């Protein structure tokens, strides 16, 4: 008789009922070949005594195994392993430690039993909002989000209209109300000329970048970015098999002269830009370079993927209009997000482009994510329609403007020799370059020990270069929190 008391490990602290745990483990023993096809199991009373369980628990477990097809009950004879299971040759199981044994009992494993390709360039830290002080990548302050207005809009969704329509399948391109309102808003604020048919709603700008990359790029295509750029974009380009080339970025943005040289020597399929505030350095692409970039796109036939991630936050005069506003030949794919404008948890982004491209992006989106969140999209659309969203933008713009000025003054007065920076015209972060003698990684580690989270900036370094810089986000912290953060930074430096 098998040593069931040793083979079966039941944990009454788990939320899974004991009879289900037992049934699952009997199934595992069958699949492992420990229990063979046609083998008779102990009687319910006998197994109950062995495992110190109530007999009804064993009965329920056997019934579950029969229902799952692992066991079969033979009238007057007992319970058996089903005959139709293929015979498995048991393999010796080597358990290296108690944790591995515990994982095995829970049915989990670290590695699959099949091969797959691991792409090193996808290994990138996931940014999250940490407790305590933080100088992040440029996140908004979620405490300022229009929660009351959103709550009212959500309630109206439940009260208004046909429930069958509200809670059924919707348009893959996004909720009609949000597409309509976004089209109006983008036309008013960014000088675009769109209709709702030019707008696809996505779950954040990263989905828009992914869809555009999958539709527009093929293995071997060439994409040009800045030497410093957003890794989330280049990861998507490389995943398609495209080759990524880079051009220098100076105080006026992307080096368009170098781009022109690339165009003369090889076909370029796409250029990725963040022209309003270049990521990560926050510089604005000079108007003359914008005009030439559009001219090159028309001349050589490449697409411009424009990520306008923080257009709504500009602190001087009216912000420079996006490239898409001057595009008359359909060369620009315009990507944006409300994540930075409201809160990261509200996963609402958008892609704006010619209708033929939007239709194709929607077809691809359908096999990845059937549709977005209709309730959230409706609520955001309502906020645009009522003007609440515009009021929120005006309020946060004033708040972030004051925080930028206060933070830059703190850096100047408290860290004059350690940090160099240019006060950004907009956005939610400062590009800070630290003394070359300073070890950025060690500094970030020491800051974390004192309760301050900030990035070490190593992932911003182009190949072979040491920028010793990082983005210090000021928007998500109050002025008092910024003072505490700079005090910690001064101590660890």
């Amino acid at each position: 008789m098998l040593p069931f008391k040793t083979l079966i490990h039941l944990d009454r602290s788990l939320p899974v009922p004991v009879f289900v745990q037992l049934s699952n483990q009997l199934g595992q023993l069958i699949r492992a070949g420990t229990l063979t096809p046609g083998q008779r199991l102990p009687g319910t009373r006998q197994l109950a005594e062995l495992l110190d369980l109530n007999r009804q628990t064993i009965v329920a477990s056997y019934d579950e195994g029969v229902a799952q097809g692992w066991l079969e009950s033979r009238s007057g004879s007992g319970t058996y392993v089903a005959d139709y299971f293929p015979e498995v040759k048991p393999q010796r199981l080597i358990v290296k430690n108690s944790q591995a044994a515990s994982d095995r009992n829970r049915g989990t494993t670290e590695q699959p039993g099949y091969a797959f390709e691991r792409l090193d360039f996808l290994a990138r830290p996931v940014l999250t909002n940490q407790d305590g002080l933080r100088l992040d990548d440029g996140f908004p302050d979620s405490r300022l989000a229009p929660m009351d207005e959103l709550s009212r809009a959500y309630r109206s969704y439940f009260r208004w209209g046909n429930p069958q329509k509200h809670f059924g399948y919707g348009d893959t391109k996004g909720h009609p109300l949000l597409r309509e309102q976004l089209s109006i808003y983008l036309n008013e604020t960014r000088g675009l000329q769109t209709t709702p048919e030019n707008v696809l709603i996505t779950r954040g700008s990263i989905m828009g970048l992914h869809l555009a990359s999958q539709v527009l790029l093929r293995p071997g295509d060439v994409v040009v970015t800045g030497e410093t750029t957003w890794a989330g974009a280049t990861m998507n380009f490389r995943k398609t098999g495209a080759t990524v080339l880079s051009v220098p970025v100076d105080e006026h943005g992307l080096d368009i002269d170098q781009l022109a040289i690339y165009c003369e020597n090889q076909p370029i399929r796409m250029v990725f830009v963040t022209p309003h505030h270049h990521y990560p350095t926050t510089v604005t692409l000079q108007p003359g370079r914008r005009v030439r970039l559009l001219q090159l796109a028309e001349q050589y036939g490449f697409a411009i993927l424009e990520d306008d991630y923080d257009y709504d936050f500009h602190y001087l005069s009216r912000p420079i209009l996006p490239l898409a506003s001057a595009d008359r030949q359909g060369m620009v794919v315009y990507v944006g997000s409300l994540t930075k404008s409201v809160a990261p948890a509200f996963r609402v982004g958008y892609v704006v482009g010619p209708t033929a491209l939007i239709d194709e992006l929607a077809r691809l989106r359908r096999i990845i994510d059937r549709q977005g969140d209709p309730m959230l999209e409706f609520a955001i659309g309502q906020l645009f329609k009522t003007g609440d969203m515009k009021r929120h933008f005006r309020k946060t713009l004033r708040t972030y403007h004051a925080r930028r000025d206060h933070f830059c003054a703190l850096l100047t007065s408290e860290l004059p020799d350690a940090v160099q920076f240019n006060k950004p015209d907009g956005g939610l972060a400062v590009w800070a370059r630290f003394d070359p003698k300073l070890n950025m990684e060690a500094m970030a580690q020491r800051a974390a020990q004192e309760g301050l989270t900030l990035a070490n900036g190593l992932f911003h370094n182009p190949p072979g270069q040491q920028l010793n810089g990082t983005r210090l986000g000021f928007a998500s912290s109050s002025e008092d929190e910024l003072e505490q953060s700079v005090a910690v930074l001064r101590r660890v430096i």
Side-chain angles (χ1 to χ4, degrees):
M1 183 171 165
L2 289 172
F4 284 97
K5 193 172 182 64
T6 303
L7 294 171
I8 300 296
H9 302 274
L10 304 174
D11 187 347
R12 289 179 171 81
S13 68
L14 295 178
V16 181
V18 172
F19 84 91
V20 175
Q21 292 184 48
L22 177 56
S23 177
N24 289 342
Q25 292 188 38
L26 289 174
Q28 292 172 14
L29 294 174
I30 293 170
R31 289 190 294 272
T34 306
L35 293 173
T36 58
Q39 182 173 348
R40 186 179 185 278
L41 297 182
T44 54
R45 286 189 178 84
Q46 185 181 11
L47 190 57
E49 290 177 3
L50 283 171
L51 300 181
D52 194 22
L53 295 174
N54 187 287
R55 177 172 174 265
Q56 293 306 315
T57 302
I58 308 299
V59 171
S61 178
Y62 280 5
D63 288 346
E64 176 71 13
V66 171
Q68 296 289 340
W70 306 329
L71 307 177
E72 55 185 30
S73 179
R74 299 177 187 176
S75 180
S77 179
T79 304
Y80 293 78
V81 178
D83 280 327
Y84 48 78
F85 274 99
E87 186 170 355
V88 179
K89 183 178 180 181
Q91 296 183 2
R92 186 183 177 196
L93 180 64
I94 300 176
V95 179
K96 294 183 178 179
N97 53 48
S98 58
Q99 181 61 47
S102 176
D103 288 345
R104 187 185 84 250
N105 294 335
R106 289 183 173 88
T108 60
T109 56
E110 269 190 34
Q111 298 296 334
Y114 47 82
F116 70 98
E117 183 181 11
R118 295 189 61 161
L119 302 175
D120 291 340
F121 63 82
L122 295 181
R124 177 171 168 253
V126 176
L127 298 178
T128 58
N129 281 85
Q130 302 291 330
D131 292 331
L133 300 174
R134 59 187 174 273
L135 296 173
D136 50 43
D137 193 58
F139 298 158
D141 191 340
S142 301
R143 296 169 294 190
L144 302 179
M147 296 302 183
D148 291 339
E149 293 84 351
L150 273 169
S151 297
R152 286 196 296 270
Y154 263 105
R155 287 196 296 272
S156 70
Y157 185 87
F158 287 96
R159 293 196 305 262
W160 170 81
N162 182 354
Q164 186 77 357
K165 182 178 179 181
H166 269 359
F167 301 104
Y169 286 116
D171 193 331
T172 305
K173 295 179 182 178
H175 197 285
L177 176 63
L178 181 56
R179 293 171 65 209
E180 174 192 10
Q181 292 301 315
L182 260 181
S183 175
I184 295 171
Y185 177 74
L186 295 175
N187 292 348
E188 289 177 349
T189 60
R190 289 153 169 79
L192 304 187
Q193 298 179 24
T194 68
T195 70
E197 297 306 309
N198 298 115
V199 180
L200 171 71
I201 306 301
T202 60
R203 293 185 187 270
S205 59
I206 190 69
M207 176 185 264
L209 289 169
H210 176 76
L211 294 173
S213 301
Q214 292 296 320
V215 168
L216 297 177
L217 298 177
R218 294 293 176 267
D221 284 346
V222 176
V223 181
V224 179
T225 71
E227 273 187 343
T228 54
T229 193
W230 185 40
T234 56
M235 288 159 64
N236 272 287
F237 305 149
R238 294 178 64 183
K239 186 66 177 70
T240 68
T243 299
V244 180
L245 301 179
S246 63
V247 297
V249 178
D250 57 24
E251 67 272 18
H252 302 299
L254 233 60
D255 185 343
I256 306 301
D257 289 336
Q258 180 60 54
L259 173 62
I261 294 173
Y262 280 150
C263 292
E264 291 170 0
N265 291 291
Q266 61 192 310
I268 302 297
R269 177 57 174 164
M270 179 188 289
V271 174
F272 173 71
V273 287
T274 50
H276 194 232
H277 300 121
H278 177 74
Y279 185 93
T281 65
T282 75
V283 299
T284 300
L285 186 62
Q286 186 187 51
R289 295 189 183 187
R290 291 167 175 258
V291 172
R292 189 150 184 239
L293 176 56
L294 286 168
Q295 291 173 341
L296 289 174
E298 294 176 15
Q299 179 181 351
Y300 291 101
F302 58 77
I304 299 174
L305 185 54
E306 179 178 14
D307 181 5
D308 212 359
Y309 62 96
D310 60 2
Y311 183 90
D312 290 305
F313 301 112
H314 200 83
Y315 308 124
L316 297 181
S317 57
R318 179 179 173 85
I320 297 175
L321 292 177
L323 292 167
S325 68
D327 177 28
R328 297 296 176 263
Q329 302 300 319
M331 310 307 297
V332 178
V333 182
Y334 185 72
V335 177
S337 171
L338 297 177
T339 294
K340 295 291 178 67
S341 304
V342 184
F346 295 106
R347 304 304 303 164
V348 176
Y350 52 87
V351 182
V352 177
T355 54
L357 175 66
I358 295 300
D359 289 344
E360 187 62 23
L361 294 176
R363 294 186 191 103
L364 176 59
R365 187 252 173 86
R366 186 176 179 183
I367 67 172
I368 301 170
D369 184 22
R370 169 60 178 78
Q371 65 187 59
D373 182 341
M375 288 175 279
L376 175 60
E377 292 175 10
F378 171 85
I380 296 291
Q382 278 289 91
L383 264 58
F384 274 108
K385 187 174 181 178
T386 59
D388 288 324
M389 188 62 77
K390 293 180 182 178
R391 285 188 285 274
H392 168 69
F393 289 159
R394 289 194 294 269
K395 172 187 173 183
T396 53
L397 182 65
R398 291 192 298 270
T399 301
Y400 296 156
H401 190 171
R403 290 179 181 180
R404 181 208 63 167
D405 291 347
H406 189 63
F407 183 57
C408 290
L410 287 169
L411 291 179
T412 300
S413 63
E414 301 300 315
L415 301 169
D417 300 322
V419 179
Q420 291 184 333
F421 68 95
N422 294 319
K423 182 187 287 189
D425 294 337
L428 306 180
V430 169
W431 173 246
R433 296 161 308 232
F434 287 78
D435 186 325
K437 297 189 294 293
L438 186 67
N439 185 312
M440 296 288 291
E441 191 170 12
M443 179 192 73
Q445 291 173 353
R446 290 198 299 271
Q449 292 169 0
E450 295 215 21
L452 171 63
T453 300
L454 76 161
N456 59 33
L458 298 182
F459 51 87
H460 293 312
N461 291 334
Q465 296 186 45
Q466 187 73 24
L467 301 179
N468 240 46
T470 193
R471 285 169 61 89
L472 301 178
F474 54 81
S476 62
S477 302
S478 66
E479 293 188 9
D480 180 61
E481 290 166 340
L482 290 173
E483 291 174 8
Q484 296 177 56
S485 298
V486 172
V488 172
L489 199 55
R490 180 179 178 179
R491 286 199 300 275
V492 300
I493 289 177

